[in-house]
């Protein structure tokens, strides 16, 4: 429960938000006059990819300052703009959640070691 005694939001919010963002696509008739998302999508990848870079930088600065409310706010901005990018490319938050689920329980260190081992197996023999 949250402070207001409401149920804590879950990943469902990502799915609902993505449904809204799909309606903002130019092909869906998104209106740049009334919707920030529609304006961003109409401007194309350079616009929303630039925003992702900016929001990531702002998150880094917030984290460096260590202010929890700003870290949460900047992370929300970053997630939102990533969802805009996913929408443009015809992808869904469910795709990302499935990838995270696929990785669940797989140690990042073990995965990296396996990756490096595969690379060593296929690398040309330079010992001669
Ligand atoms: N979650 C968000 C959300 N998070 C951030 N933003 C907007 O992202 C923008 C970028 O943030 P910045 O801090 O960089 O602000 P800025 O300097 O004014 O931005 P720029 O002019 O540089 O682009 C701001 O205008 C925020 O309002 C969002 N805009 C919309 N949503 C969600 O998307 C839904 C659809 O929004 P519209 O498409 O605008 O109707 C909304 O109902 C919300 O649920």
């Amino acid at each position: 429960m949250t402070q207001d005694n409401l149920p804590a939001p879950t990943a469902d919010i990502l799915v609902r938000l993505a449904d809204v963002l799909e309606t903002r696509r130019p092909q869906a008739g998104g209106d740049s006059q009334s919707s920030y998302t529609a304006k961003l999508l109409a401007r194309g990848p350079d616009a929303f990819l630039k925003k992702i870079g900016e929001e990531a930088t702002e998150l880094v600065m917030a984290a460096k300052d260590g202010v929890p409310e700003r870290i949460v706010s900047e992370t929300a901005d970053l997630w939102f703009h990533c969802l805009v990018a996913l929408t443009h490319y015809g992808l869904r938050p469910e795709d990302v959640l499935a990838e995270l689920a696929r990785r669940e329980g797989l140690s990042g260190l073990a995965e990296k070691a396996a990756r490096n081992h595969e690379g060593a197996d296929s690398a040309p023999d330079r010992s001669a």
Side-chain angles (χ1 to χ4, degrees):
M1 288 290 194
T2 62
Q3 278 181 335
D4 302 327
N5 249 6
L6 295 169
T10 66
D12 290 356
I13 182 68
L14 299 176
V15 172
R16 288 200 303 277
L17 180 51
D19 289 344
V20 171
L21 300 190
E22 279 190 24
T23 70
R24 284 7 186 203
R25 301 180 76 179
Q27 306 90 313
D31 176 11
S32 298
Q33 298 297 319
S34 60
S35 159
Y36 171 78
T37 314
K39 192 172 155 193
L40 209 48
L41 287 170
R43 288 171 60 200
D46 281 357
F48 58 74
L49 295 176
K50 182 166 174 274
K51 289 303 295 181
I52 289 175
E54 288 173 10
E55 303 301 352
T57 302
E58 285 169 21
L59 171 56
V60 169
M61 292 190 297
K64 284 284 196 184
D65 292 342
V67 181
E69 294 79 8
R70 280 187 50 219
I71 296 173
V72 169
S73 173
E74 298 300 350
T75 301
D77 281 350
L78 180 58
W79 286 17
F80 167 73
H81 286 90
C82 288
L83 285 177
V84 173
L86 288 175
T87 301
H88 173 83
Y89 293 108
L91 293 165
R92 297 276 311 178
E94 292 94 316
D95 296 312
V96 180
L97 293 169
E99 176 61 13
L100 288 172
R102 188 189 66 77
R103 297 178 188 181
E104 194 172 11
L106 177 65
S107 155
L109 293 176
E111 186 275 332
K112 187 169 182 178
R115 214 190 313 151
N116 290 342
H117 187 66
E118 279 168 26
D121 283 350
S122 59
D125 182 0
R126 300 185 203 278
S127 58

